[in-house]
Tab-separated table of all heavy atoms in Angstrom:
chain	number	residue	atom	x	y	z
A	37	GLU	N	-4.085	-62.252	-15.354
A	37	GLU	CA	-3.444	-63.483	-15.328
A	37	GLU	C	-2.606	-63.463	-14.012
A	37	GLU	O	-1.687	-62.653	-13.992
A	37	GLU	CB	-2.687	-63.865	-16.547
A	37	GLU	CG	-2.038	-65.354	-16.504
A	37	GLU	CD	-1.235	-65.752	-17.777
A	37	GLU	OE1	-0.458	-64.982	-18.110
A	37	GLU	OE2	-1.707	-66.676	-18.388
A	38	ILE	N	-2.812	-64.334	-12.984
A	38	ILE	CA	-2.060	-64.127	-11.799
A	38	ILE	C	-0.890	-65.192	-11.810
A	38	ILE	O	-1.113	-66.399	-12.021
A	38	ILE	CB	-3.043	-64.568	-10.564
A	38	ILE	CG1	-4.248	-63.587	-10.650
A	38	ILE	CG2	-2.298	-64.466	-9.270
A	38	ILE	CD1	-5.404	-63.922	-9.507
A	39	SER	N	0.257	-64.682	-11.495
A	39	SER	CA	1.364	-65.519	-11.340
A	39	SER	C	1.661	-65.833	-9.829
A	39	SER	O	1.166	-65.017	-8.949
A	39	SER	CB	2.613	-64.708	-12.016
A	39	SER	OG	3.892	-65.285	-11.622
A	40	GLU	N	2.417	-66.857	-9.626
A	40	GLU	CA	2.791	-67.247	-8.157
A	40	GLU	C	3.724	-66.149	-7.597
A	40	GLU	O	4.000	-66.144	-6.473
A	40	GLU	CB	3.416	-68.683	-8.129
A	40	GLU	CG	4.968	-68.753	-8.963
A	40	GLU	CD	4.621	-69.124	-10.323
A	40	GLU	OE1	3.599	-68.851	-10.926
A	40	GLU	OE2	5.612	-69.659	-10.958
A	41	ASN	N	4.329	-65.278	-8.464
A	41	ASN	CA	5.221	-64.240	-8.062
A	41	ASN	C	4.395	-62.863	-7.831
A	41	ASN	O	5.115	-61.848	-7.497
A	41	ASN	CB	6.323	-64.076	-9.143
A	41	ASN	CG	7.209	-65.192	-9.287
A	41	ASN	OD1	7.458	-65.982	-8.271
A	41	ASN	ND2	7.547	-65.410	-10.571
A	42	CYS	N	3.157	-62.947	-7.901
A	42	CYS	CA	2.397	-61.702	-7.584
A	42	CYS	C	2.679	-61.155	-6.189
A	42	CYS	O	2.576	-61.884	-5.278
A	42	CYS	CB	0.970	-61.980	-7.815
A	42	CYS	SG	-0.088	-60.518	-7.607
A	43	PRO	N	3.118	-59.912	-6.108
A	43	PRO	CA	3.563	-59.453	-4.804
A	43	PRO	C	2.384	-59.474	-3.796
A	43	PRO	O	2.636	-59.290	-2.477
A	43	PRO	CB	4.120	-58.111	-5.052
A	43	PRO	CG	3.533	-57.659	-6.369
A	43	PRO	CD	3.338	-58.954	-7.107
A	44	PHE	N	1.093	-59.207	-4.301
A	44	PHE	CA	-0.007	-59.144	-3.278
A	44	PHE	C	-0.853	-60.444	-3.375
A	44	PHE	O	-2.091	-60.363	-3.176
A	44	PHE	CB	-0.852	-57.976	-3.565
A	44	PHE	CG	-1.196	-57.693	-4.969
A	44	PHE	CD1	-2.269	-58.214	-5.526
A	44	PHE	CD2	-0.458	-56.810	-5.785
A	44	PHE	CE1	-2.670	-58.049	-6.879
A	44	PHE	CE2	-0.701	-56.675	-7.030
A	44	PHE	CZ	-1.840	-57.190	-7.676
A	45	LEU	N	-0.181	-61.523	-3.593
A	45	LEU	CA	-0.844	-62.818	-3.790
A	45	LEU	C	-1.706	-63.184	-2.479
A	45	LEU	O	-2.845	-63.611	-2.785
A	45	LEU	CB	0.141	-63.951	-4.074
A	45	LEU	CG	-0.517	-65.389	-4.445
A	45	LEU	CD1	-1.336	-65.269	-5.731
A	45	LEU	CD2	0.602	-66.344	-4.576
A	46	GLU	N	-1.151	-62.968	-1.397
A	46	GLU	CA	-1.911	-63.292	-0.196
A	46	GLU	C	-2.696	-62.134	0.355
A	46	GLU	O	-3.211	-62.218	1.382
A	46	GLU	CB	-0.885	-63.721	0.918
A	46	GLU	CG	-0.041	-65.081	0.377
A	46	GLU	CD	0.964	-65.467	1.348
A	46	GLU	OE1	1.043	-64.884	2.451
A	46	GLU	OE2	1.718	-66.328	1.019
A	47	ASN	N	-2.617	-60.979	-0.305
A	47	ASN	CA	-3.511	-59.804	0.189
A	47	ASN	C	-4.758	-59.735	-0.715
A	47	ASN	O	-4.838	-59.085	-1.703
A	47	ASN	CB	-2.630	-58.614	0.000
A	47	ASN	CG	-3.311	-57.455	0.486
A	47	ASN	OD1	-4.398	-57.409	1.116
A	47	ASN	ND2	-2.553	-56.296	0.399
A	48	LEU	N	-5.886	-60.458	-0.121
A	48	LEU	CA	-7.064	-60.434	-0.804
A	48	LEU	C	-7.706	-58.986	-0.813
A	48	LEU	O	-8.601	-58.786	-1.633
A	48	LEU	CB	-8.069	-61.386	-0.197
A	48	LEU	CG	-7.790	-62.991	-0.396
A	48	LEU	CD1	-8.698	-63.771	0.382
A	48	LEU	CD2	-7.341	-63.193	-1.791
A	49	LEU	N	-7.345	-58.136	0.005
A	49	LEU	CA	-7.837	-56.736	0.027
A	49	LEU	C	-7.419	-56.069	-1.255
A	49	LEU	O	-8.064	-55.398	-1.760
A	49	LEU	CB	-7.136	-56.071	1.292
A	49	LEU	CG	-7.437	-54.576	1.129
A	49	LEU	CD1	-8.928	-54.242	1.306
A	49	LEU	CD2	-6.705	-53.926	2.430
A	50	ALA	N	-6.165	-56.410	-1.775
A	50	ALA	CA	-5.711	-55.811	-3.053
A	50	ALA	C	-6.546	-56.232	-3.994
A	50	ALA	O	-6.875	-55.372	-4.987
A	50	ALA	CB	-4.175	-56.157	-3.188
A	51	PHE	N	-7.009	-57.477	-4.171
A	51	PHE	CA	-7.768	-57.986	-5.205
A	51	PHE	C	-9.173	-57.290	-5.071
A	51	PHE	O	-9.953	-56.933	-6.121
A	51	PHE	CB	-8.065	-59.475	-5.332
A	51	PHE	CG	-6.747	-60.287	-5.617
A	51	PHE	CD1	-5.919	-60.771	-4.593
A	51	PHE	CD2	-6.363	-60.307	-7.006
A	51	PHE	CE1	-4.766	-61.481	-5.009
A	51	PHE	CE2	-5.329	-60.947	-7.190
A	51	PHE	CZ	-4.406	-61.542	-6.389
A	52	LYS	N	-9.627	-57.001	-3.836
A	52	LYS	CA	-10.891	-56.469	-3.591
A	52	LYS	C	-10.776	-54.962	-4.197
A	52	LYS	O	-11.827	-54.527	-4.858
A	52	LYS	CB	-11.015	-56.321	-2.091
A	52	LYS	CG	-12.347	-55.473	-1.709
A	52	LYS	CD	-13.666	-56.423	-1.823
A	52	LYS	CE	-14.853	-55.673	-1.292
A	52	LYS	NZ	-15.982	-56.398	-1.417
A	53	ILE	N	-9.762	-54.254	-4.009
A	53	ILE	CA	-9.585	-52.951	-4.645
A	53	ILE	C	-9.611	-52.931	-6.024
A	53	ILE	O	-10.159	-52.064	-6.672
A	53	ILE	CB	-8.278	-52.303	-3.927
A	53	ILE	CG1	-8.417	-52.117	-2.525
A	53	ILE	CG2	-7.958	-50.968	-4.704
A	53	ILE	CD1	-7.154	-51.674	-1.789
A	54	ILE	N	-8.824	-53.996	-6.559
A	54	ILE	CA	-8.830	-54.029	-8.183
A	54	ILE	C	-10.205	-54.260	-8.738
A	54	ILE	O	-10.576	-53.529	-9.765
A	54	ILE	CB	-7.783	-55.130	-8.557
A	54	ILE	CG1	-6.327	-54.760	-8.104
A	54	ILE	CG2	-8.049	-55.477	-10.054
A	54	ILE	CD1	-5.311	-55.881	-8.423
A	55	LYS	N	-11.087	-55.179	-8.195
A	55	LYS	CA	-12.350	-55.451	-8.730
A	55	LYS	C	-13.219	-54.173	-8.561
A	55	LYS	O	-13.997	-53.946	-9.345
A	55	LYS	CB	-12.931	-56.698	-7.906
A	55	LYS	CG	-12.134	-57.900	-8.279
A	55	LYS	CD	-12.945	-59.121	-7.807
A	55	LYS	CE	-14.106	-59.522	-8.740
A	55	LYS	NZ	-14.860	-60.597	-8.445
A	56	SER	N	-12.958	-53.491	-7.338
A	56	SER	CA	-13.813	-52.305	-7.235
A	56	SER	C	-13.447	-51.179	-8.248
A	56	SER	O	-14.282	-50.437	-8.758
A	56	SER	CB	-13.629	-51.715	-5.672
A	56	SER	OG	-14.261	-50.515	-5.509
A	57	GLU	N	-12.116	-51.081	-8.548
A	57	GLU	CA	-11.682	-50.125	-9.535
A	57	GLU	C	-12.424	-50.441	-10.976
A	57	GLU	O	-12.717	-49.508	-11.680
A	57	GLU	CB	-10.238	-50.129	-9.712
A	57	GLU	CG	-9.753	-49.001	-10.661
A	57	GLU	CD	-10.007	-47.604	-10.318
A	57	GLU	OE1	-10.171	-47.374	-9.102
A	57	GLU	OE2	-9.912	-46.818	-11.247
A	58	VAL	N	-12.377	-51.760	-11.196
A	58	VAL	CA	-12.876	-52.202	-12.471
A	58	VAL	C	-14.471	-51.838	-12.603
A	58	VAL	O	-14.900	-51.257	-13.604
A	58	VAL	CB	-12.811	-53.728	-12.792
A	58	VAL	CG1	-13.541	-54.217	-13.963
A	58	VAL	CG2	-11.210	-54.045	-12.873
A	59	ARG	N	-15.137	-52.067	-11.506
A	59	ARG	CA	-16.609	-51.754	-11.561
A	59	ARG	C	-16.738	-50.223	-11.646
A	59	ARG	O	-17.616	-49.793	-12.377
A	59	ARG	CB	-17.208	-52.176	-10.136
A	59	ARG	CG	-17.530	-53.655	-10.126
A	59	ARG	CD	-18.476	-54.009	-8.968
A	59	ARG	NE	-17.994	-53.614	-7.698
A	59	ARG	CZ	-17.224	-54.519	-6.959
A	59	ARG	NH1	-16.821	-55.746	-7.373
A	59	ARG	NH2	-16.744	-54.041	-5.770
A	60	ASN	N	-15.924	-49.418	-11.009
A	60	ASN	CA	-15.968	-47.913	-11.141
A	60	ASN	C	-15.768	-47.493	-12.628
A	60	ASN	O	-16.256	-46.414	-12.993
A	60	ASN	CB	-15.031	-47.257	-10.223
A	60	ASN	CG	-15.337	-47.486	-8.760
A	60	ASN	OD1	-16.524	-47.608	-8.412
A	60	ASN	ND2	-14.347	-47.187	-7.875
A	61	LEU	N	-14.908	-48.155	-13.370
A	61	LEU	CA	-14.648	-47.874	-14.698
A	61	LEU	C	-15.751	-48.509	-15.706
A	61	LEU	O	-15.761	-48.262	-16.899
A	61	LEU	CB	-13.290	-48.501	-15.143
A	61	LEU	CG	-12.015	-47.967	-14.492
A	61	LEU	CD1	-10.781	-48.773	-14.780
A	61	LEU	CD2	-11.844	-46.453	-14.906
A	62	GLY	N	-16.661	-49.217	-15.096
A	62	GLY	CA	-17.719	-49.770	-15.953
A	62	GLY	C	-17.318	-50.891	-16.694
A	62	GLY	O	-17.800	-51.095	-17.992
A	63	ARG	N	-16.237	-51.537	-16.417
A	63	ARG	CA	-15.882	-52.796	-17.170
A	63	ARG	C	-16.136	-54.100	-16.498
A	63	ARG	O	-16.682	-54.137	-15.349
A	63	ARG	CB	-14.271	-52.560	-17.424
A	63	ARG	CG	-13.947	-51.120	-17.831
A	63	ARG	CD	-14.222	-50.834	-19.254
A	63	ARG	NE	-13.872	-49.532	-19.522
A	63	ARG	CZ	-12.625	-49.018	-19.648
A	63	ARG	NH1	-11.607	-49.765	-19.471
A	63	ARG	NH2	-12.335	-47.718	-19.909
A	64	LYS	N	-15.614	-55.187	-17.144
A	64	LYS	CA	-15.592	-56.471	-16.547
A	64	LYS	C	-14.489	-57.098	-16.409
A	64	LYS	O	-13.419	-56.673	-17.125
A	64	LYS	CB	-16.540	-57.484	-17.297
A	64	LYS	CG	-17.982	-57.016	-17.386
A	64	LYS	CD	-18.837	-57.966	-18.100
A	64	LYS	CE	-20.318	-57.609	-18.152
A	64	LYS	NZ	-21.075	-58.430	-19.056
Side-chain angles (χ1 to χ4, degrees):
E37 187 177 60
I38 304 174
S39 167
E40 65 271 23
N41 296 322
C42 180
F44 49 88
L45 183 63
E46 297 179 7
N47 183 1
L48 293 183
L49 174 60
F51 291 102
K52 176 79 172 180
I53 293 172
I54 290 173
K55 294 193 73 173
S56 175
E57 182 64 24
V58 172
R59 282 196 299 271
N60 291 339
L61 293 173
R63 318 279 177 74
K64 295 180 180 180

